[in-house]
Amino acid sequence: RGMEALQKENTEEALEYFNKEVDENPKNGYAYSWIALLRDSQEEYGRALTAVNLAIKNLPKKDAEFLAATYNIRANVYLELKDTISALNDYASAIKVMPSYDKAYEKRAQIYYEQSKYDLADADYKQLIKLDEADVMGYMGLGRNYNAKKQWE
């Protein structure tokens, strides 16, 4: 029911259902993950961190895609809290559990670009292209990096 409410963009109702679910099933990492996503969207970062930490603790390790997405949520929360180091660690964790998780490469590359760490950003953009040779963000990121490095050849 929480997912139905979420699809109808009724955030408060969705939170009620997900919270009820974790009250009844306190080890439901999926529900905690959705709570974290909703709390993040409401800029309730402390509550989002609490939920996402419980999600990571309780999600089945074999569900690599959902676990990687949950690390991505926590990285986004850390970025909102200006904790770039923790965000980078979570993007690395997302990639470790699911090496094909393109969102983590893209977001990590953006951080590296902002830090003028172009070689690290280039590596992530090249990985995006390796995962999907038609990945527009990978080529755009490389182009932006080469421009910043004045490597126009």
Side-chain angles (χ1 to χ4, degrees):
R1 299 182 99 192
M3 292 302 297
E4 290 172 9
L6 190 59
Q7 290 171 347
K8 293 177 184 174
E9 298 183 23
N10 189 337
T11 303
E12 290 306 317
E13 184 180 345
L15 273 171
E16 284 179 37
Y17 284 121
F18 290 128
N19 280 316
K20 183 178 179 182
E21 173 60 25
V22 296
D23 286 343
E24 294 174 11
N25 300 296
K27 294 191 181 279
N28 186 334
Y30 296 100
Y32 282 119
S33 188
W34 288 110
I35 291 168
L37 184 67
L38 292 168
R39 294 294 186 199
D40 180 36
S41 73
Q42 294 177 328
E43 300 179 2
E44 296 179 8
Y45 304 122
R47 295 172 105 181
L49 272 179
T50 299
V52 78
N53 288 335
L54 288 166
I56 290 169
K57 178 182 175 184
N58 290 296
L59 281 169
K61 303 305 177 216
K62 64 182 178 183
D63 192 345
E65 186 171 5
F66 213 91
L67 190 55
T70 303
Y71 277 117
N72 195 59
I73 292 168
R74 188 167 70 181
N76 293 339
V77 173
Y78 281 135
L79 285 178
E80 292 293 339
L81 296 172
K82 310 293 186 224
D83 186 350
T84 307
I85 293 169
S86 293
L88 287 170
N89 287 336
D90 274 346
Y91 291 133
S93 294
I95 291 166
K96 183 177 179 180
V97 298
M98 186 178 172
S100 63
Y101 192 69
D102 58 345
K103 290 176 183 69
Y105 291 107
E106 186 177 327
K107 290 185 177 206
R108 187 172 70 175
Q110 177 64 30
I111 292 171
Y112 288 147
Y113 170 78
E114 291 169 5
Q115 295 176 336
S116 300
K117 295 179 179 177
Y118 302 118
D119 291 340
L120 294 173
D122 285 349
D124 280 348
Y125 287 129
K126 288 176 182 175
Q127 185 61 34
L128 283 171
I129 294 166
K130 185 177 177 183
L131 292 171
D132 176 5
E133 63 185 39
D135 189 282
V136 173
M137 293 307 296
Y139 288 108
M140 288 177 55
L142 284 175
R144 180 181 63 175
N145 288 353
Y146 291 142
N147 188 51
K149 295 186 287 186
K150 298 182 178 8
Q151 291 180 333
W152 297 303
E153 71 280 351

